[in-house]
Amino acid sequence: SMSWIRIALLVLILLLNEYPISIFVNDQELDSFTISVSRLIISTLFILFIISLIPALQNILLIMISLILAYLILEIMNYIYKDSLYQAHEVPSVPFLTPYVDSNCNLYTTHTKNWHWAGYEFGQFYATLKRDDFKKIKVEVKTDNYGLRNSSQEVYDYPENIIMGDSFAFGYHLDQKDHFVTALNNAGVKTLNIGVYGVSPSNQYILLKHLLDNNIVRLSSTKVSLLFFGGNDFTDLSAYNIGSCRPYLFQFKLFVNDFYQYSIANRIRMILFYNNRKNANNWKTIDGKYFPPIYFDKLSYSQEKLVQLYDKNLLRFFNDFNELLKIDSISEVNIIYVPSRPEIVKNNNLQSVFLKQRLGDKRIKYYDLRNFSDLNIDDYHVDDTHLNAHGHNKLFNFFNNIIENK
């Protein structure tokens, strides 16, 4: 039996060494935390293999393997019962995000189609072991035939505005009636919202291209605006070339990501991560260039490679976003920088300045929301960094007064 254990350990070591992250993301989209975990697993397996060669330590090996198996069984049970945990916290178990892969292996994401739940309770309970850390807010959420947060299909026909972004554009923790897009449509400014929470700017660009290429959206002098959040939008991995269009492999990646997201290990990581955030003014220099502190928030075997990857993905997105201006029916392309709550508290605009500098001389118009409204901490939810109804009212005034009337 010990021989079989040695063979199994060697096979696992060789596989993980050859394909350390391919089951998670494409090699070009290096996730530093996944790399660190892969190397930790390989090191652990190697130590177990060495122990298996020493007869006096083989009992210790069996104990260690038993502990590992017990932990895996615990994680599997946690995953099996996660839907019951959802229901216990009044969070629906219906999959809310639906990822797709286009013909070029690029990833775009929508929400569940034709979703209308009044009283959906947003709670980030899975991010912490303490269940009552976040205030529970019951809101109404509607999605359309394509899984996007719009109350009507009419906004797909010649909208004046298309709004892009992540949870800020989606309106996380926000009732449908309080959303600035709802207010714009009520004011007669036809506006399509394609914002999806938890996605990257490149994911949103690919989604928009999918809607345009398949004639789902018809345009006429349409303004396209991205709400760029001064947080994870800097560091979200690219959605380009995810690695394979083979459905079974992609589904396996989704399963692994889903399993990890709700794992006990990830909850512990989230606690450690949020308890050790870097100071918002702690900028660093690589190759003579300053980079924002959020670039250094993740564990990394090579911080320099990770920063270069973030910057490469950001510049690629800017280039693609700028290409939208070649479409005759698009009149302008805008980036609206939405600062995080800590940036407001510390009156820090360094990340906005950095973003504008990296944008360079492109024809994309850049706005920092702080420069056009008296944005303050009262415009954010107490529990997280998303804009509340007051903040969305300021977004409505910005679009109505600045974008529409210039």
Side-chain angles (χ1 to χ4, degrees), residues 94-113:
V94 176
F96 192 44
L97 291 181
T98 307
Y100 300 93
V101 183
D102 68 10
S103 58
N104 296 315
C105 297
N106 297 322
L107 179 68
Y108 66 94
T109 309
T110 68
H111 308 106
T112 302
K113 296 177 181 178

Side-chain angles (χ1 to χ4, degrees), residues 62 127 136 155 170 181 186 205 232 274 278 332 355 362:
L62 293 175
K136 296 174 180 177
V155 293
F170 167 78
V181 170
N186 289 341
Y205 170 77
N232 57 293
Y274 283 113
K278 306 292 187 299
E332 64 183 60
L355 191 67
K362 294 179 175 56

Side-chain angles (χ1 to χ4, degrees), residues 377-397:
I377 59 172
D378 294 331
D379 298 318
Y380 293 80
H381 287 293
V382 175
D383 305 304
D384 59 35
T385 191
H386 294 95
L387 293 174
N388 57 25
H390 298 294
H392 271 253
N393 185 56
K394 290 182 179 179
L395 272 174
F396 164 73
N397 290 330

Side-chain angles (χ1 to χ4, degrees), residues 47-99:
I47 291 171
L48 291 176
F49 178 75
I50 296 299
I51 292 175
S52 73
L53 298 176
I54 305 171
L57 298 178
Q58 286 180 2
N59 287 335
I60 295 176
L61 172 66
L62 293 175
I63 292 172
M64 293 177 70
I65 290 176
S66 298
L67 291 173
I68 291 171
L69 288 174
Y71 166 72
L72 290 175
I73 291 172
L74 183 64
E75 286 286 18
I76 291 169
M77 295 298 291
N78 173 72
Y79 185 77
I80 290 173
Y81 287 104
K82 70 180 176 68
D83 284 350
S84 300
L85 186 65
Y86 269 24
Q87 292 159 11
H89 289 81
E90 301 178 49
V91 177
S93 58
V94 176
F96 192 44
L97 291 181
T98 307

